[in-house]
Amino acid sequence: MQDTRLPARFPERLRELRALLPQLVAILEQGRGDEWYAFAWLEETVTLSAVCGRNEGVQQDTDRGVVLRIFARGIQYESACNRLDESALIEMARALRARVEADDATGMPLPVYRPRSWAEEYADPLPPELRSQLPAGPPAVEQPVHLGVRCTVDPWITTADGLRTLAAATRQRVLAANGAFLRRENAARPEAEAYPALAEVRVLARQTVHTHVFVDRTRNLSQVLPVTLLYALGIMPGGQTGRTLAGGLGGLEIAVLPDDSLAQSAEMPARLSRAERLAPGAYRLITGPDVTGVIAHEAFGHTQEGDTCMCGRSVAPGLRARRVRVGNDQASIVNNPAVFSMDHLFHGPNGSYFFDHEGCFARSQTILDRGWLSAPMTNLTAALALGEPRTANGKRESWRRPLMVRQTNTYFTPGDATLEELIARVPSGFLAHWAHGGMEDPKGGSLTAGTEYLEEIRDGRLTGRLFVGPTGGHVELSDPVFSLLARIEGKTGSRHPRGIPENKYGGCGKYHKESVNAGCGGPWILWSSVTCG
Amino acid sequence: MACEIQDIRRALAEVAAQPGSGLFGWTLTTETAVSHQALMIGGEGNVLTVFQTRQVTDDRATLRVFTRQGAPVRQGVAVVTLDPMADLTAQIAAACAAARGVDNPPWELPAAPPAGYPDVATADPAIAADPGAEHARLIACARREAARLGVAQINSAEAYVSFRRQRLESSSGISTGRALSEVYFELAAERLPGPNVQEVSPLVEATNVDGLDLSTFFARVAEQAGALTGAELPPTSRQATIVIGPEAITALLYELRGQLQADAEYERGPHLLPGDSVADGPLATAGEALTLALDPFLPAMAESTPYTGEGLPAERSLVIEDGVVRRQLVNARMGQYLGRPANGICGNMLVAPGRGDRADWFATLPDVLEIRTFSSLLINPRTLTWSSEIKLGRRHRAGQPPVTIKGGVVSGSLRQNLRDCAFSNRRIVRNDLPDGWKPARGYDGPDAMLIRSGIQVAGA
């Protein structure tokens, strides 16, 4: 079937500013191109959001900034601002150049960088969606090239009021579903055991449209990435919560919560208020895509970040050099910025893009292949320092913050089982569906990932009993990464033609800060044992 | 190109004059910020080499418009970060249009205080004068300390200095401002001789370079890195005794304080009112009760401020005394909704010191886990339950040498923890700067808390 969706348009208001960027790059590196490398980065983030609950509001943020960079003597020098008139930007470019020329510091012993030409990019296979939007042949250096996420509903016509209407209607649906649940569940219960109604339902509808322009001596690229989210949270008087969400890369067409998904907000909080408490210990566990993804992200995602490796903060380079296997045949993890459809869905997760914040094109990379570590993800600095290939993982929280090696969408590869088959293989254990945070330990090789609650499995069937953490909160999963990845017993399949499993809407904070979009996911995975507390 | 206050005021007047705009009031926050940041890699002899250096200038204007519409009257609110490249009047009119669909009970905006605002030192004069020079001084200090750090290898470091000038204005006559300075230094290091497979990565934050106290910070790095030996899993336990440090105490008490806010009551979730006990059961005989005050006037701390977010004058108050809530934090809006007088109580957390001594606890208690660092302490603000993997800790058993522990999961319930806890008699002052992951938090109180109730551990 032909895809009739159109790529998101480049905003007219940025054309003049975009036209100025090549001039800024010329100011930065003219006459020094043999020693220095410079680029200009323009970023605009337009966010519309609405929250409905007992306390309501709408918000519109427009955040726009320019980053100028000179790479010289092993140091990335950057200046950034949001005063975007021509004279201010030219002045910033001249000041940055003067700063680099005046500085006598020497950074890391890195080689001079020569960026790839368009012809070299075309010679290296590109993901289908990206290639389909590029000109047939290599464009001229100065030719602006635009890439946009395909959407059914044009993201540029979304309004805050439209989002408020969506959020209000969703809130009413959750409240109605909670009412129906209470009538059904409480009919047969004594009054003292009746579930109380939800104390509050809060619904967030949000759309963020990221526009990026990257200009260096070889290319002039832009991309528009709309990210849409509809999120509903049910809250009990005692504080137990349940959430459901729909979101990812695309327009309002993906902000759809089917009736059956609302139970997670409308019914689960009440059920969790009566949940049993888990005895701390190690259990046989099945994790859903949400939790599986966090494990992938934390396990060998952060460990395979090139800057972490470059600084000696990761255990991965040593293991790879010594050919130490760190997982079994089923332990394969991919980082893929070019996910524009997945499993049965026609949209990608929020960690996708066409090129990273240093202008490197998105290409899929296997970072762990059946237990064997491959090359790390990199940005420009890490690639030069480690002598490894460039990958499209140079990202920053915003123009205000530094660029680091960051994950895009990280997921376990699919297997061939069904979820029912995995459950049938569990005599005694639990199923973990909803994630609740996670944290990396790239040097120590341990892993922690949270889940909201556990569903009990006995004799190969779900019993319907729910368990929260030992003291009534979420359940934390923790184990040494290597032993955990050796305990994968089975994985479910994917319906995607290229085997991309579902990736969930997510975010990442590297070392507790620097928040970025990061999808993560994978199949349902059966683990023979995971420590839970 | 930036939005000028007089242009915004003019545009607001134009929108107010438009029929049907519904514009009832507004608040405007403007900010100008400058920051300097460096990412460094550690080399031989702990030489710190910069590989990324940044300078950022940032201007922002955030307008909050309030509309009134309908019968009975409802109040809408829309927040818009003004775009200097777009027409101001059109942006404000669009914000009003969006606000008119928002459905809140009406409330009045607070007026300017007749007595003005208290004078509070919120910014470091040296950073205000030259943030770049202070950033360079921070790096120089860090390099000196690093060169003396013999027992550990530094893998990476990061140094950040910023200065922000903020203004708050409102349609109700508020016109005030403050300056803020922020500094942090972060470092990752491992024990020598290397290579090994564990590191420490502490972060220290303050409002001025000297407030980081880098000598003490590097001494802590050396001590913690030296402890990275032969880690074991903690034992599984349904009733563990633990000792936590000031970072965890700060995080836990900050969430507890959230339940003192009138917003929590209005939103019908768990909340605490004056007269309530913060523990969810009777105190153990040997337990110490929590006493907590909030103080926005302490100089050079993360939560020091002359005014609240609404523009009320900041107010110091004892909020929890001997484990019992004394004051609720009532902002102007919630005060009107709940029929209570508003107050400006806010600020840094002051916790009364206890009688305990960390070394004494470790020497005398039969089995105690000292949690030095949590991997990721996640606290549920509603249930006040919490859980985390142990990133680094020590197990102390009376009469035996301590053992380094790592891994496993410790979980707790704060209100249950407060049934049987004790505080150390040693005071520490610390700051958390606000970022996307945490709010500003200032803490002045005991450097350790012993918890004997409501703790479970999943480990060996």
Side-chain angles (χ1 to χ4, degrees), chain A residues 471, chain B residues 237-240 242 386 410-412 417 451 453-457:
Chain A
T471 54
Chain B
S237 169
R238 304 298 298 265
Q239 182 50 66
I242 65 168
W386 55 272
V410 58
S411 63
N417 302 151
I451 305 175
S453 170
I455 299 290
Q456 298 201 33
V457 176

Side-chain angles (χ1 to χ4, degrees), chain A residues 2 4 27 51-52 75 103 196 210 319 354 431 450 487 498 509:
Chain A
Q2 191 182 358
T4 57
I27 291 171
V51 173
C52 284
I75 300 174
D103 192 8
H210 303 274
L319 294 169
F354 297 96
L431 184 141
R487 297 201 293 261
R498 291 192 301 282

Side-chain angles (χ1 to χ4, degrees), chain A residues 296-355:
Chain A
H297 180 96
E298 307 296 351
F300 267 102
H302 283 294
T303 311
Q304 283 280 57
E305 289 171 346
D307 53 354
T308 303
C309 299
M310 172 185 93
C311 292
R313 300 190 60 185
S314 170
V315 72
L319 294 169
R320 184 172 164 228
R322 297 197 306 276
R323 293 286 296 161
V324 176
R325 197 174 190 195
V326 296
N328 64 17
D329 276 345
Q330 309 212 47
S332 292
I333 300 175
V334 170
N335 184 261
N336 187 356
V339 178
F340 299 101
S341 61
M342 54 189 175
D343 199 48
H344 60 293
L345 299 166
F346 286 99
H347 67 84
N350 61 327
S352 298
Y353 46 53
F354 297 96
F355 56 87

Side-chain angles (χ1 to χ4, degrees), chain A residues 139-200:
Chain A
V141 165
E142 65 277 7
Q143 180 183 337
V145 172
H146 178 66
L147 302 155
V149 168
R150 292 183 193 276
C151 300
T152 305
V153 181
D154 182 356
W156 293 119
I157 64 169
T158 301
T159 63
D161 194 50
L163 292 175
R164 188 202 59 77
T165 303
L166 173 64
T170 305
R171 183 169 191 259
Q172 288 308 314
R173 289 173 62 208
V174 175
L175 288 168
N178 180 242
F181 166 75
L182 295 176
R183 285 190 295 279
R184 191 172 67 239
E185 287 289 322
N186 289 344
R189 288 170 185 265
E191 197 172 330
E193 293 176 20
Y195 286 121
L198 290 170
E200 165 70 315

